[in-house]
Amino acid sequence: MVFIDAVAGCKKYNGLFFADLNCAQTCVSVSDIAKTCISIMQKEEKCIAMRHESQKLKKENSARVIYKIMDK
């Protein structure tokens, strides 16, 4: 995943959250998106590592996880 902070707010934090988990990268401008995507695609090991990290996040139904957290 590649995130851009197009609209200030929660999307910025979502991008940083996934970037901190090494399953995404963030961009600051539209022109930066293309460079970042090309860079990731040219490095197979980077793609594999990002995919592996994102698969670790797959658990159960997201809505159920959110409900459990909020129900506490």
Side-chain angles (χ1 to χ4, degrees):
M1 287 185 278
V2 177
F3 289 89
I4 184 168
D5 190 19
V7 178
C10 67
K11 297 299 179 196
K12 176 180 180 178
Y13 297 107
N14 289 342
L16 293 174
F17 173 80
F18 287 107
D20 285 345
L21 295 174
N22 297 315
C23 57
Q25 286 191 301
T26 59
C27 298
V28 294
S29 68
V30 174
S31 62
D32 194 30
I33 293 174
K35 293 176 193 170
T36 300
C37 290
I38 290 169
S39 174
I40 293 169
M41 291 175 7
Q42 289 177 337
K43 299 175 185 169
E44 184 177 357
E45 66 279 354
K46 177 74 173 173
C47 290
I48 292 169
M50 289 173 73
R51 184 179 314 119
H52 177 73
E53 293 302 319
S54 65
Q55 288 174 343
K56 286 182 185 178
L57 297 174
K58 289 182 181 178
K59 296 196 177 176
E60 58 182 291
N61 181 294
S62 298
R64 185 172 297 137
V65 171
I66 292 168
Y67 172 78
K68 286 178 182 178
I69 290 170
M70 295 181 74
D71 191 42
K72 289 182 181 181

Short mmCIF file of all heavy atoms in Angstrom, two decimals:
data_model
loop_
_atom_site.label_atom_id
_atom_site.label_comp_id
_atom_site.label_asym_id
_atom_site.label_seq_id
_atom_site.Cartn_x
_atom_site.Cartn_y
_atom_site.Cartn_z
N MET A 1 0.83 -1.17 0.00
CA MET A 1 0.00 0.00 0.00
C MET A 1 0.88 1.24 0.00
O MET A 1 1.93 1.25 0.61
CB MET A 1 -0.88 0.03 1.25
CG MET A 1 -2.02 -0.96 1.24
SD MET A 1 -3.08 -0.76 2.70
CE MET A 1 -2.13 -1.67 3.89
N VAL A 2 0.38 2.25 -0.66
CA VAL A 2 1.05 3.55 -0.66
C VAL A 2 -0.01 4.58 -0.29
O VAL A 2 -1.04 4.68 -0.92
CB VAL A 2 1.66 3.88 -2.04
CG1 VAL A 2 2.28 5.25 -2.03
CG2 VAL A 2 2.71 2.83 -2.42
N PHE A 3 0.26 5.32 0.76
CA PHE A 3 -0.67 6.33 1.25
C PHE A 3 -0.16 7.72 0.91
O PHE A 3 1.04 7.98 0.96
CB PHE A 3 -0.82 6.25 2.78
CG PHE A 3 -1.57 5.05 3.26
CD1 PHE A 3 -0.90 3.87 3.52
CD2 PHE A 3 -2.93 5.11 3.47
CE1 PHE A 3 -1.58 2.76 3.98
CE2 PHE A 3 -3.63 4.01 3.93
CZ PHE A 3 -2.96 2.82 4.18
N ILE A 4 -1.09 8.61 0.59
CA ILE A 4 -0.75 10.02 0.41
C ILE A 4 -1.67 10.83 1.31
O ILE A 4 -2.85 10.49 1.48
CB ILE A 4 -0.87 10.48 -1.06
CG1 ILE A 4 -0.42 11.93 -1.19
CG2 ILE A 4 -2.27 10.27 -1.59
CD1 ILE A 4 -0.23 12.42 -2.60
N ASP A 5 -1.14 11.87 1.89
CA ASP A 5 -1.92 12.72 2.78
C ASP A 5 -2.66 13.76 1.96
O ASP A 5 -2.36 14.95 2.01
CB ASP A 5 -1.00 13.37 3.82
CG ASP A 5 -1.78 14.08 4.92
OD1 ASP A 5 -2.97 13.76 5.09
OD2 ASP A 5 -1.20 14.95 5.58
N ALA A 6 -3.63 13.30 1.17
CA ALA A 6 -4.37 14.20 0.27
C ALA A 6 -5.31 15.11 1.04
O ALA A 6 -5.50 16.26 0.69
CB ALA A 6 -5.16 13.38 -0.75
N VAL A 7 -5.92 14.57 2.08
CA VAL A 7 -6.83 15.34 2.91
C VAL A 7 -6.35 15.17 4.35
O VAL A 7 -6.31 14.05 4.86
CB VAL A 7 -8.28 14.83 2.78
CG1 VAL A 7 -9.22 15.61 3.69
CG2 VAL A 7 -8.74 14.90 1.33
N ALA A 8 -5.97 16.25 4.96
CA ALA A 8 -5.45 16.16 6.33
C ALA A 8 -6.48 15.53 7.25
O ALA A 8 -7.68 15.72 7.09
CB ALA A 8 -5.08 17.55 6.83
N GLY A 9 -6.02 14.77 8.17
CA GLY A 9 -6.92 14.13 9.13
C GLY A 9 -6.52 12.71 9.41
O GLY A 9 -5.35 12.37 9.42
N CYS A 10 -7.52 11.86 9.60
CA CYS A 10 -7.26 10.49 10.03
C CYS A 10 -6.48 9.68 9.00
O CYS A 10 -5.77 8.74 9.35
CB CYS A 10 -8.56 9.78 10.40
SG CYS A 10 -9.67 9.50 9.02
N LYS A 11 -6.60 10.01 7.73
CA LYS A 11 -5.88 9.25 6.70
C LYS A 11 -4.38 9.33 6.91
O LYS A 11 -3.65 8.37 6.66
CB LYS A 11 -6.24 9.73 5.29
CG LYS A 11 -7.69 9.54 4.93
CD LYS A 11 -8.07 8.08 4.97
CE LYS A 11 -9.52 7.89 4.63
NZ LYS A 11 -10.03 6.61 5.01
N LYS A 12 -3.90 10.46 7.39
CA LYS A 12 -2.47 10.61 7.68
C LYS A 12 -2.06 9.58 8.73
O LYS A 12 -1.04 8.91 8.60
CB LYS A 12 -2.17 12.02 8.16
CG LYS A 12 -0.73 12.21 8.57
CD LYS A 12 -0.46 13.64 9.04
CE LYS A 12 0.99 13.81 9.44
NZ LYS A 12 1.27 15.19 9.86
N TYR A 13 -2.86 9.46 9.78
CA TYR A 13 -2.54 8.54 10.86
C TYR A 13 -2.66 7.08 10.41
O TYR A 13 -1.89 6.24 10.84
CB TYR A 13 -3.42 8.82 12.08
CG TYR A 13 -3.16 10.20 12.63
CD1 TYR A 13 -4.08 11.22 12.45
CD2 TYR A 13 -1.97 10.50 13.27
CE1 TYR A 13 -3.84 12.50 12.92
CE2 TYR A 13 -1.71 11.78 13.74
CZ TYR A 13 -2.65 12.77 13.56
OH TYR A 13 -2.39 14.03 14.02
N ASN A 14 -3.62 6.80 9.54
CA ASN A 14 -3.74 5.44 8.99
C ASN A 14 -2.48 5.07 8.22
O ASN A 14 -1.94 3.97 8.36
CB ASN A 14 -4.96 5.32 8.08
CG ASN A 14 -6.27 5.37 8.82
OD1 ASN A 14 -6.32 5.16 10.02
ND2 ASN A 14 -7.33 5.68 8.11
N GLY A 15 -2.03 5.99 7.37
CA GLY A 15 -0.81 5.75 6.60
C GLY A 15 0.39 5.53 7.48
O GLY A 15 1.18 4.61 7.26
N LEU A 16 0.55 6.36 8.49
CA LEU A 16 1.68 6.22 9.41
C LEU A 16 1.59 4.92 10.20
O LEU A 16 2.61 4.27 10.45
CB LEU A 16 1.73 7.42 10.37
CG LEU A 16 2.07 8.75 9.73
CD1 LEU A 16 1.95 9.88 10.74
CD2 LEU A 16 3.45 8.73 9.10
N PHE A 17 0.38 4.53 10.58
CA PHE A 17 0.19 3.26 11.30
C PHE A 17 0.70 2.09 10.47
O PHE A 17 1.50 1.28 10.95
CB PHE A 17 -1.30 3.08 11.63
CG PHE A 17 -1.63 1.74 12.21
CD1 PHE A 17 -1.41 1.49 13.55
CD2 PHE A 17 -2.17 0.73 11.42
CE1 PHE A 17 -1.71 0.24 14.11
CE2 PHE A 17 -2.48 -0.51 11.96
CZ PHE A 17 -2.25 -0.75 13.31
N PHE A 18 0.28 2.01 9.21
CA PHE A 18 0.70 0.90 8.35
C PHE A 18 2.18 1.01 7.97
O PHE A 18 2.87 0.01 7.84
CB PHE A 18 -0.19 0.81 7.11
CG PHE A 18 -1.55 0.27 7.43
CD1 PHE A 18 -2.66 1.10 7.42
CD2 PHE A 18 -1.74 -1.07 7.73
CE1 PHE A 18 -3.92 0.62 7.72
CE2 PHE A 18 -3.00 -1.57 8.03
CZ PHE A 18 -4.09 -0.72 8.02
N ALA A 19 2.68 2.21 7.81
CA ALA A 19 4.10 2.40 7.50
C ALA A 19 4.96 1.94 8.68
O ALA A 19 6.00 1.30 8.48
CB ALA A 19 4.39 3.86 7.16
N ASP A 20 4.52 2.23 9.89
CA ASP A 20 5.25 1.79 11.08
C ASP A 20 5.30 0.27 11.19
O ASP A 20 6.23 -0.29 11.76
CB ASP A 20 4.64 2.37 12.36
CG ASP A 20 4.95 3.84 12.55
OD1 ASP A 20 5.87 4.36 11.87
OD2 ASP A 20 4.28 4.48 13.37
N LEU A 21 4.29 -0.39 10.63
CA LEU A 21 4.25 -1.85 10.63
C LEU A 21 4.99 -2.45 9.43
O LEU A 21 5.00 -3.66 9.25
CB LEU A 21 2.79 -2.33 10.62
CG LEU A 21 2.00 -2.00 11.87
CD1 LEU A 21 0.54 -2.39 11.69
CD2 LEU A 21 2.59 -2.68 13.10
N ASN A 22 5.59 -1.59 8.61
CA ASN A 22 6.37 -2.00 7.43
C ASN A 22 5.54 -2.72 6.37
O ASN A 22 6.06 -3.56 5.63
CB ASN A 22 7.58 -2.86 7.83
CG ASN A 22 8.55 -2.09 8.69
OD1 ASN A 22 8.87 -0.95 8.39
ND2 ASN A 22 9.01 -2.70 9.77
N CYS A 23 4.24 -2.39 6.28
CA CYS A 23 3.43 -2.99 5.23
C CYS A 23 2.88 -1.94 4.28
O CYS A 23 2.05 -2.23 3.44
CB CYS A 23 2.32 -3.86 5.81
SG CYS A 23 1.21 -3.04 6.93
N ALA A 24 3.39 -0.71 4.39
CA ALA A 24 2.97 0.38 3.50
C ALA A 24 4.03 1.47 3.52
O ALA A 24 4.94 1.44 4.36
CB ALA A 24 1.64 0.95 3.95
N GLN A 25 3.90 2.40 2.59
CA GLN A 25 4.75 3.57 2.58
C GLN A 25 3.86 4.80 2.41
O GLN A 25 2.76 4.70 1.86
CB GLN A 25 5.77 3.51 1.45
CG GLN A 25 6.89 2.52 1.75
CD GLN A 25 8.03 2.65 0.77
OE1 GLN A 25 7.84 2.49 -0.43
NE2 GLN A 25 9.21 2.92 1.28
N THR A 26 4.34 5.92 2.90
CA THR A 26 3.57 7.15 2.78
C THR A 26 4.27 8.10 1.81
O THR A 26 5.47 8.03 1.62
CB THR A 26 3.41 7.85 4.14
OG1 THR A 26 4.71 8.13 4.67
CG2 THR A 26 2.64 6.99 5.11
N CYS A 27 3.47 8.96 1.20
CA CYS A 27 3.99 9.95 0.25
C CYS A 27 3.46 11.32 0.65
O CYS A 27 2.39 11.43 1.23
CB CYS A 27 3.53 9.64 -1.17
SG CYS A 27 4.13 8.07 -1.77
N VAL A 28 4.21 12.35 0.29
CA VAL A 28 3.79 13.70 0.64
C VAL A 28 3.21 14.46 -0.54
O VAL A 28 2.60 15.50 -0.38
CB VAL A 28 4.95 14.51 1.27
CG1 VAL A 28 5.34 13.91 2.61
CG2 VAL A 28 6.13 14.57 0.34
N SER A 29 3.41 13.94 -1.75
CA SER A 29 2.89 14.64 -2.93
C SER A 29 2.47 13.63 -3.99
O SER A 29 2.86 12.46 -3.95
CB SER A 29 3.96 15.57 -3.51
OG SER A 29 5.01 14.80 -4.06
N VAL A 30 1.69 14.10 -4.93
CA VAL A 30 1.23 13.25 -6.02
C VAL A 30 2.42 12.73 -6.84
O VAL A 30 2.47 11.57 -7.20
CB VAL A 30 0.23 14.01 -6.91
CG1 VAL A 30 -0.15 13.19 -8.12
CG2 VAL A 30 -1.02 14.38 -6.11
N SER A 31 3.39 13.59 -7.11
CA SER A 31 4.55 13.15 -7.90
C SER A 31 5.37 12.11 -7.15
O SER A 31 6.03 11.27 -7.77
CB SER A 31 5.42 14.35 -8.28
OG SER A 31 5.93 14.99 -7.12
N ASP A 32 5.32 12.15 -5.84
CA ASP A 32 6.06 11.18 -5.03
C ASP A 32 5.45 9.79 -5.12
O ASP A 32 6.13 8.79 -4.95
CB ASP A 32 6.08 11.67 -3.58
CG ASP A 32 7.08 10.95 -2.71
OD1 ASP A 32 8.11 10.50 -3.23
OD2 ASP A 32 6.82 10.85 -1.49
N ILE A 33 4.15 9.71 -5.42
CA ILE A 33 3.47 8.41 -5.51
C ILE A 33 4.10 7.54 -6.59
O ILE A 33 4.41 6.38 -6.37
CB ILE A 33 1.96 8.57 -5.80
CG1 ILE A 33 1.27 9.21 -4.61
CG2 ILE A 33 1.32 7.23 -6.10
CD1 ILE A 33 -0.19 9.54 -4.88
N ALA A 34 4.27 8.09 -7.78
CA ALA A 34 4.83 7.32 -8.90
C ALA A 34 6.23 6.83 -8.56
O ALA A 34 6.56 5.66 -8.78
CB ALA A 34 4.84 8.16 -10.17
N LYS A 35 7.06 7.71 -8.03
CA LYS A 35 8.43 7.32 -7.67
C LYS A 35 8.43 6.21 -6.63
O LYS A 35 9.20 5.26 -6.73
CB LYS A 35 9.19 8.54 -7.13
CG LYS A 35 9.45 9.60 -8.15
CD LYS A 35 10.12 10.80 -7.49
CE LYS A 35 10.10 12.00 -8.42
NZ LYS A 35 10.52 13.23 -7.74
N THR A 36 7.58 6.34 -5.64
CA THR A 36 7.51 5.35 -4.57
C THR A 36 7.02 4.00 -5.11
O THR A 36 7.60 2.96 -4.80
CB THR A 36 6.58 5.84 -3.44
OG1 THR A 36 7.11 7.07 -2.93
CG2 THR A 36 6.48 4.83 -2.33
N CYS A 37 5.97 4.02 -5.93
CA CYS A 37 5.44 2.77 -6.50
C CYS A 37 6.47 2.08 -7.39
O CYS A 37 6.66 0.86 -7.29
CB CYS A 37 4.16 3.04 -7.28
SG CYS A 37 2.76 3.48 -6.24
N ILE A 38 7.15 2.84 -8.22
CA ILE A 38 8.18 2.26 -9.10
C ILE A 38 9.30 1.67 -8.25
O ILE A 38 9.78 0.56 -8.51
CB ILE A 38 8.71 3.31 -10.09
CG1 ILE A 38 7.62 3.63 -11.12
CG2 ILE A 38 9.98 2.83 -10.78
CD1 ILE A 38 7.92 4.83 -11.99
N SER A 39 9.70 2.39 -7.23
CA SER A 39 10.77 1.91 -6.35
C SER A 39 10.40 0.59 -5.69
O SER A 39 11.20 -0.34 -5.64
CB SER A 39 11.07 2.97 -5.29
OG SER A 39 11.98 2.48 -4.35
N ILE A 40 9.17 0.50 -5.20
CA ILE A 40 8.71 -0.73 -4.55
C ILE A 40 8.65 -1.87 -5.56
O ILE A 40 9.09 -2.99 -5.29
CB ILE A 40 7.33 -0.53 -3.89
CG1 ILE A 40 7.45 0.43 -2.71
CG2 ILE A 40 6.75 -1.87 -3.42
CD1 ILE A 40 6.11 0.89 -2.15
N MET A 41 8.10 -1.61 -6.74
CA MET A 41 7.94 -2.66 -7.76
C MET A 41 9.29 -3.16 -8.27
O MET A 41 9.40 -4.31 -8.70
CB MET A 41 7.07 -2.15 -8.90
CG MET A 41 5.64 -1.97 -8.48
SD MET A 41 4.47 -1.25 -9.67
CE MET A 41 5.28 -1.10 -11.18
N GLN A 42 10.31 -2.33 -8.24
CA GLN A 42 11.62 -2.73 -8.73
C GLN A 42 12.40 -3.55 -7.70
O GLN A 42 13.43 -4.13 -8.04
CB GLN A 42 12.44 -1.50 -9.13
CG GLN A 42 11.93 -0.85 -10.39
CD GLN A 42 12.69 0.41 -10.75
OE1 GLN A 42 13.32 1.04 -9.91
NE2 GLN A 42 12.62 0.77 -12.02
N LYS A 43 11.90 -3.60 -6.49
CA LYS A 43 12.58 -4.35 -5.43
C LYS A 43 11.68 -5.48 -4.96
O LYS A 43 10.86 -5.31 -4.07
CB LYS A 43 12.93 -3.42 -4.27
CG LYS A 43 13.86 -2.31 -4.67
CD LYS A 43 14.07 -1.36 -3.51
CE LYS A 43 14.91 -0.18 -3.98
NZ LYS A 43 14.92 0.90 -2.99
N GLU A 44 11.86 -6.65 -5.57
CA GLU A 44 10.99 -7.78 -5.26
C GLU A 44 11.01 -8.12 -3.78
O GLU A 44 9.98 -8.43 -3.19
CB GLU A 44 11.38 -9.01 -6.08
CG GLU A 44 10.44 -10.17 -5.88
CD GLU A 44 10.79 -11.37 -6.75
OE1 GLU A 44 11.73 -11.29 -7.56
OE2 GLU A 44 10.10 -12.39 -6.61
N GLU A 45 12.19 -8.05 -3.17
CA GLU A 45 12.29 -8.38 -1.75
C GLU A 45 11.47 -7.40 -0.89
O GLU A 45 10.90 -7.78 0.13
CB GLU A 45 13.74 -8.42 -1.27
CG GLU A 45 14.48 -7.11 -1.27
CD GLU A 45 15.03 -6.66 -2.61
OE1 GLU A 45 14.96 -7.40 -3.60
OE2 GLU A 45 15.54 -5.53 -2.68
N LYS A 46 11.39 -6.14 -1.32
CA LYS A 46 10.58 -5.15 -0.61
C LYS A 46 9.10 -5.50 -0.72
O LYS A 46 8.37 -5.45 0.27
CB LYS A 46 10.85 -3.75 -1.17
CG LYS A 46 10.03 -2.65 -0.57
CD LYS A 46 10.49 -2.30 0.82
CE LYS A 46 9.75 -1.08 1.34
NZ LYS A 46 10.06 -0.80 2.72
N CYS A 47 8.67 -5.87 -1.92
CA CYS A 47 7.26 -6.28 -2.13
C CYS A 47 6.91 -7.48 -1.26
O CYS A 47 5.87 -7.52 -0.61
CB CYS A 47 7.01 -6.62 -3.59
SG CYS A 47 7.02 -5.24 -4.70
N ILE A 48 7.80 -8.47 -1.25
CA ILE A 48 7.56 -9.68 -0.47
C ILE A 48 7.50 -9.35 1.01
O ILE A 48 6.63 -9.83 1.73
CB ILE A 48 8.65 -10.73 -0.77
CG1 ILE A 48 8.50 -11.23 -2.21
CG2 ILE A 48 8.58 -11.89 0.22
CD1 ILE A 48 9.65 -12.08 -2.71
N ALA A 49 8.43 -8.51 1.48
CA ALA A 49 8.45 -8.14 2.90
C ALA A 49 7.19 -7.38 3.29
O ALA A 49 6.60 -7.65 4.35
CB ALA A 49 9.69 -7.30 3.19
N MET A 50 6.74 -6.44 2.44
CA MET A 50 5.53 -5.68 2.74
C MET A 50 4.31 -6.59 2.76
O MET A 50 3.44 -6.47 3.62
CB MET A 50 5.36 -4.54 1.73
CG MET A 50 6.36 -3.43 1.90
SD MET A 50 6.28 -2.18 0.60
CE MET A 50 4.77 -1.32 1.03
N ARG A 51 4.25 -7.52 1.81
CA ARG A 51 3.13 -8.48 1.75
C ARG A 51 3.12 -9.35 3.00
O ARG A 51 2.08 -9.58 3.62
CB ARG A 51 3.23 -9.35 0.50
CG ARG A 51 2.05 -10.29 0.33
CD ARG A 51 2.13 -11.16 -0.92
NE ARG A 51 2.49 -10.41 -2.10
CZ ARG A 51 3.61 -10.66 -2.82
NH1 ARG A 51 4.44 -11.61 -2.47
NH2 ARG A 51 3.89 -9.95 -3.89
N HIS A 52 4.30 -9.82 3.40
CA HIS A 52 4.41 -10.68 4.58
C HIS A 52 3.93 -9.93 5.84
O HIS A 52 3.18 -10.49 6.63
CB HIS A 52 5.87 -11.13 4.75
CG HIS A 52 6.10 -11.95 5.97
ND1 HIS A 52 5.67 -13.26 6.09
CD2 HIS A 52 6.71 -11.65 7.14
CE1 HIS A 52 6.00 -13.72 7.27
NE2 HIS A 52 6.63 -12.76 7.94
N GLU A 53 4.35 -8.69 5.99
CA GLU A 53 3.94 -7.90 7.16
C GLU A 53 2.44 -7.62 7.15
O GLU A 53 1.80 -7.67 8.20
CB GLU A 53 4.72 -6.58 7.22
CG GLU A 53 6.19 -6.76 7.50
CD GLU A 53 6.48 -7.50 8.80
OE1 GLU A 53 5.80 -7.24 9.81
OE2 GLU A 53 7.39 -8.35 8.81
N SER A 54 1.87 -7.37 5.97
CA SER A 54 0.43 -7.10 5.92
C SER A 54 -0.38 -8.36 6.21
O SER A 54 -1.45 -8.29 6.81
CB SER A 54 0.03 -6.49 4.58
OG SER A 54 0.23 -7.40 3.53
N GLN A 55 0.14 -9.52 5.83
CA GLN A 55 -0.57 -10.77 6.11
C GLN A 55 -0.59 -11.09 7.60
O GLN A 55 -1.50 -11.75 8.08
CB GLN A 55 0.04 -11.92 5.32
CG GLN A 55 -0.28 -11.82 3.84
CD GLN A 55 0.43 -12.86 3.00
OE1 GLN A 55 1.40 -13.48 3.44
NE2 GLN A 55 -0.04 -13.04 1.78
N LYS A 56 0.38 -10.58 8.33
CA LYS A 56 0.39 -10.78 9.78
C LYS A 56 -0.81 -10.08 10.44
O LYS A 56 -1.24 -10.47 11.51
CB LYS A 56 1.66 -10.19 10.40
CG LYS A 56 2.91 -10.98 10.17
CD LYS A 56 4.04 -10.27 10.90
CE LYS A 56 5.38 -10.87 10.66
NZ LYS A 56 6.44 -10.10 11.36
N LEU A 57 -1.31 -9.04 9.77
CA LEU A 57 -2.42 -8.27 10.33
C LEU A 57 -3.76 -8.99 10.16
O LEU A 57 -4.72 -8.65 10.83
CB LEU A 57 -2.51 -6.90 9.66
CG LEU A 57 -1.32 -5.98 9.88
CD1 LEU A 57 -1.48 -4.71 9.05
CD2 LEU A 57 -1.16 -5.65 11.35
N LYS A 58 -3.83 -9.94 9.24
CA LYS A 58 -5.08 -10.66 9.00
C LYS A 58 -5.40 -11.51 10.21
O LYS A 58 -4.65 -12.40 10.57
CB LYS A 58 -4.97 -11.56 7.77
CG LYS A 58 -4.92 -10.83 6.48
CD LYS A 58 -4.87 -11.82 5.34
CE LYS A 58 -4.81 -11.13 4.01
NZ LYS A 58 -4.71 -12.11 2.91
N LYS A 59 -6.48 -11.20 10.82
CA LYS A 59 -6.90 -11.97 11.98
C LYS A 59 -8.35 -12.36 11.80
O LYS A 59 -8.66 -13.17 10.98
CB LYS A 59 -6.67 -11.16 13.25
CG LYS A 59 -5.20 -10.88 13.46
CD LYS A 59 -4.87 -10.44 14.82
CE LYS A 59 -3.36 -10.28 14.84
NZ LYS A 59 -2.80 -9.80 15.98
N GLU A 60 -9.19 -11.71 12.50
CA GLU A 60 -10.61 -12.01 12.36
C GLU A 60 -11.31 -10.82 11.73
O GLU A 60 -10.67 -9.85 11.32
CB GLU A 60 -11.20 -12.37 13.72
CG GLU A 60 -11.03 -11.29 14.77
CD GLU A 60 -11.59 -11.70 16.12
OE1 GLU A 60 -12.82 -11.81 16.23
OE2 GLU A 60 -10.80 -11.91 17.04
N ASN A 61 -12.58 -10.88 11.67
CA ASN A 61 -13.41 -9.82 11.09
C ASN A 61 -13.08 -8.47 11.74
O ASN A 61 -13.15 -8.32 12.96
CB ASN A 61 -14.88 -10.19 11.32
CG ASN A 61 -15.82 -9.18 10.76
OD1 ASN A 61 -15.88 -8.06 11.23
ND2 ASN A 61 -16.57 -9.59 9.75
N SER A 62 -12.70 -7.49 10.94
CA SER A 62 -12.29 -6.17 11.45
C SER A 62 -13.38 -5.51 12.28
O SER A 62 -13.08 -4.91 13.33
CB SER A 62 -11.92 -5.25 10.28
OG SER A 62 -10.84 -5.79 9.58
N ALA A 63 -14.61 -5.59 11.84
CA ALA A 63 -15.71 -4.97 12.59
C ALA A 63 -15.82 -5.60 13.97
O ALA A 63 -16.05 -4.90 14.97
CB ALA A 63 -17.01 -5.11 11.82
N ARG A 64 -15.63 -6.90 14.06
CA ARG A 64 -15.70 -7.59 15.34
C ARG A 64 -14.56 -7.14 16.26
O ARG A 64 -14.76 -6.92 17.45
CB ARG A 64 -15.64 -9.10 15.13
CG ARG A 64 -15.84 -9.88 16.41
CD ARG A 64 -15.98 -11.37 16.16
NE ARG A 64 -17.18 -11.58 15.37
CZ ARG A 64 -17.25 -12.41 14.33
NH1 ARG A 64 -16.21 -13.12 13.97
NH2 ARG A 64 -18.36 -12.54 13.64
N VAL A 65 -13.37 -6.97 15.71
CA VAL A 65 -12.22 -6.51 16.50
C VAL A 65 -12.50 -5.12 17.06
O VAL A 65 -12.28 -4.85 18.25
CB VAL A 65 -10.93 -6.51 15.65
CG1 VAL A 65 -9.79 -5.84 16.39
CG2 VAL A 65 -10.55 -7.93 15.26
N ILE A 66 -13.00 -4.22 16.21
CA ILE A 66 -13.31 -2.86 16.64
C ILE A 66 -14.39 -2.88 17.72
O ILE A 66 -14.27 -2.19 18.74
CB ILE A 66 -13.74 -1.99 15.44
CG1 ILE A 66 -12.55 -1.78 14.50
CG2 ILE A 66 -14.31 -0.66 15.90
CD1 ILE A 66 -12.91 -1.20 13.16
N TYR A 67 -15.41 -3.69 17.51
CA TYR A 67 -16.48 -3.78 18.51
C TYR A 67 -15.93 -4.25 19.86
O TYR A 67 -16.26 -3.68 20.90
CB TYR A 67 -17.58 -4.73 18.04
CG TYR A 67 -18.61 -5.01 19.10
CD1 TYR A 67 -19.59 -4.07 19.40
CD2 TYR A 67 -18.56 -6.17 19.85
CE1 TYR A 67 -20.52 -4.29 20.39
CE2 TYR A 67 -19.48 -6.41 20.86
CZ TYR A 67 -20.45 -5.47 21.13
OH TYR A 67 -21.36 -5.70 22.12
N LYS A 68 -15.09 -5.28 19.85
CA LYS A 68 -14.53 -5.80 21.09
C LYS A 68 -13.71 -4.74 21.82
O LYS A 68 -13.77 -4.63 23.04
CB LYS A 68 -13.67 -7.03 20.81
CG LYS A 68 -14.45 -8.26 20.47
CD LYS A 68 -13.53 -9.43 20.17
CE LYS A 68 -14.29 -10.67 19.77
NZ LYS A 68 -13.37 -11.78 19.45
N ILE A 69 -12.95 -3.97 21.08
CA ILE A 69 -12.14 -2.91 21.68
C ILE A 69 -13.04 -1.85 22.29
O ILE A 69 -12.83 -1.41 23.43
CB ILE A 69 -11.18 -2.29 20.64
CG1 ILE A 69 -10.10 -3.30 20.27
CG2 ILE A 69 -10.55 -1.01 21.19
CD1 ILE A 69 -9.27 -2.88 19.07
N MET A 70 -14.07 -1.44 21.56
CA MET A 70 -14.95 -0.38 22.03
C MET A 70 -15.87 -0.85 23.16
O MET A 70 -16.32 -0.04 23.97
CB MET A 70 -15.76 0.19 20.88
CG MET A 70 -14.87 0.88 19.85
SD MET A 70 -15.80 1.59 18.49
CE MET A 70 -16.52 3.01 19.33
N ASP A 71 -16.13 -2.15 23.23
CA ASP A 71 -17.03 -2.70 24.23
C ASP A 71 -16.37 -2.81 25.60
O ASP A 71 -17.03 -2.98 26.61
CB ASP A 71 -17.54 -4.07 23.78
CG ASP A 71 -18.68 -4.58 24.63
OD1 ASP A 71 -19.58 -3.79 24.97
OD2 ASP A 71 -18.66 -5.79 24.96
N LYS A 72 -15.06 -2.68 25.64
CA LYS A 72 -14.33 -2.80 26.93
C LYS A 72 -14.57 -1.62 27.83
O LYS A 72 -14.76 -0.53 27.48
CB LYS A 72 -12.83 -2.94 26.67
CG LYS A 72 -12.49 -4.29 26.08
CD LYS A 72 -11.00 -4.42 25.89
CE LYS A 72 -10.71 -5.77 25.27
NZ LYS A 72 -9.31 -5.98 25.08
#
